[in-house]
Amino acid sequence: DKGITMARAKAVPKKILLSRLDQWSARFNLDSDPYLSSIRQAIGSSASLDFWSSLEPDDYLPRPLATAGNLQVRIAKYAAIIRNVTVFLPVGITWKAISEATTTFAEFTSTNAASPVNFLEFWQNGYGVLDEKWRIGNVAELDFWIIIAIIFLTILSTVLLNSGRAISQKQQSEIDRERQVISFELKSFFAIPRNVSKKGVDESLAKALRNLTSATEAISIAAMNLRTSVRVQPELQEIQTEVSSFHKRLGEILKVTRE
């Protein structure tokens, strides 16, 4: 008795429970959830509580997902995409520079056949023919800074991804704890014994008596059929008498309950 009293004292009142459900639903945009909207309506009107108490809240309550940290994760993914594309840029620039240098070197050697210049020397100096931006020194420096940018994007993507996931997991844990509290409150609310009205008891009793009357009537008919189909025996006649008497008493009780 003491345990039941304590359970009743700790149970969340209906108004407070409805207020918490409304706030939780509004905060996570759960108004369209069928279970949550139906159970709020049932608690508010105190209708079909036996049915809703038979359902496990942990199985039907919606589970909101964390949104904190999504920005960091999104930026990390974009940084990773840019990094994956940029990693091919130094190769492309270098091969383009080689193509420009070899073409220009061929033209230079055709007009300056007597000039003792090798390709690497020509690529470095240009000799006034090769554009400065395609010279090996400038291309190497540009590739260096691109590689530095790739390293930076790799670090940035990793840091932001880990940070975003950590923030998301922390918020998700808080959301799950709050959801569990609401589940406990629903269980506590449905665990409270409900006061049944006298009218409800009378209706249930009358229904049970009608069913019992129908059953005894069927037994009585079956006994009469059996008696007419076989030789009359004292035991069978006694059973028929008792069934008829019981059926008559039930009819009188049912009449009283209707009044």
Side-chain angles (χ1 to χ4, degrees):
D1 295 343
K2 184 177 180 180
I4 296 175
T5 304
M6 291 178 64
R8 290 179 179 177
K10 293 181 180 180
V12 180
K14 181 170 73 172
K15 291 184 178 180
I16 296 178
L17 179 59
L18 285 175
S19 177
R20 291 182 181 176
L21 289 174
D22 291 339
Q23 293 176 5
W24 191 62
S25 175
R27 182 145 49 93
F28 295 105
N29 298 321
L30 300 173
D31 293 330
S32 60
D33 182 78
Y35 174 78
L36 198 56
S37 58
S38 299
I39 202 169
R40 286 158 59 196
Q41 183 178 1
I43 294 174
S45 60
S46 298
S48 304
L49 294 182
D50 291 337
F51 166 75
W52 291 106
S53 63
S54 65
L55 300 180
E56 179 61 42
D58 288 335
D59 297 336
Y60 293 94
L61 272 176
R63 184 174 183 259
L65 299 178
T67 57
N70 287 353
L71 179 61
Q72 289 90 327
V73 173
R74 193 178 302 115
I75 295 175
K77 291 181 178 179
Y78 289 150
I81 293 174
I82 296 173
R83 183 269 318 275
N84 294 339
V85 174
T86 307
V87 75
F88 298 101
L89 193 56
V91 179
I93 292 175
T94 302
W95 280 106
K96 176 61 176 176
I98 293 174
S99 175
E100 292 290 335
T102 53
T103 302
T104 308
F105 181 69
E107 295 174 354
F108 177 78
T109 54
S110 63
T111 57
N112 301 276
S115 177
V117 179
N118 60 39
F119 176 72
L120 288 178
E121 185 180 354
F122 174 80
W123 193 8
Q124 174 60 34
N125 297 322
Y127 289 95
V129 181
L130 181 62
D131 192 338
E132 184 177 356
K133 66 182 178 182
W134 299 120
R135 295 180 184 178
I136 189 172
N138 294 332
V139 173
E141 184 176 1
L142 181 59
D143 289 346
F144 168 77
W145 288 112
I146 292 175
I147 293 173
I148 293 296
I150 292 173
I151 295 173
F152 172 76
L153 288 173
T154 302
I155 297 173
L156 178 65
S157 175
T158 303
V159 171
L160 288 177
L161 186 62
N162 293 336
S163 174
R165 287 177 176 175
I167 295 173
S168 179
Q169 290 176 358
K170 181 179 180 181
Q171 187 188 44
Q172 189 65 54
S173 298
E174 295 175 355
I175 292 174
D176 291 342
R177 283 197 296 269
E178 185 176 3
R179 178 182 181 274
Q180 193 63 59
V181 170
I182 291 178
S183 175
F184 289 152
E185 291 177 348
L186 286 173
K187 293 178 182 179
S188 175
F189 175 80
F190 287 124
I192 301 176
R194 308 295 167 194
N195 294 324
V196 182
S197 62
K198 183 178 183 299
K199 182 180 178 180
V201 174
D202 292 342
E203 291 179 354
S204 299
L205 180 59
K207 182 178 180 180
L209 289 174
R210 285 195 298 270
N211 294 336
L212 186 58
T213 302
S214 299
T216 54
E217 185 176 358
I219 294 173
S220 178
I221 294 173
M224 291 178 62
N225 293 335
L226 181 63
R227 187 178 63 178
T228 57
S229 60
V230 299
R231 188 177 60 181
V232 178
Q233 298 180 3
E235 293 84 357
L236 184 61
Q237 187 175 4
E238 184 178 352
I239 293 175
Q240 173 63 28
T241 303
E242 291 293 333
V243 171
S244 300
S245 177
F246 182 62
H247 179 67
K248 183 178 179 181
R249 288 199 300 270
L250 281 178
E252 294 174 355
I253 296 173
L254 184 59
K255 183 179 179 179
V256 172
T257 58
R258 288 175 179 174
E259 295 175 355

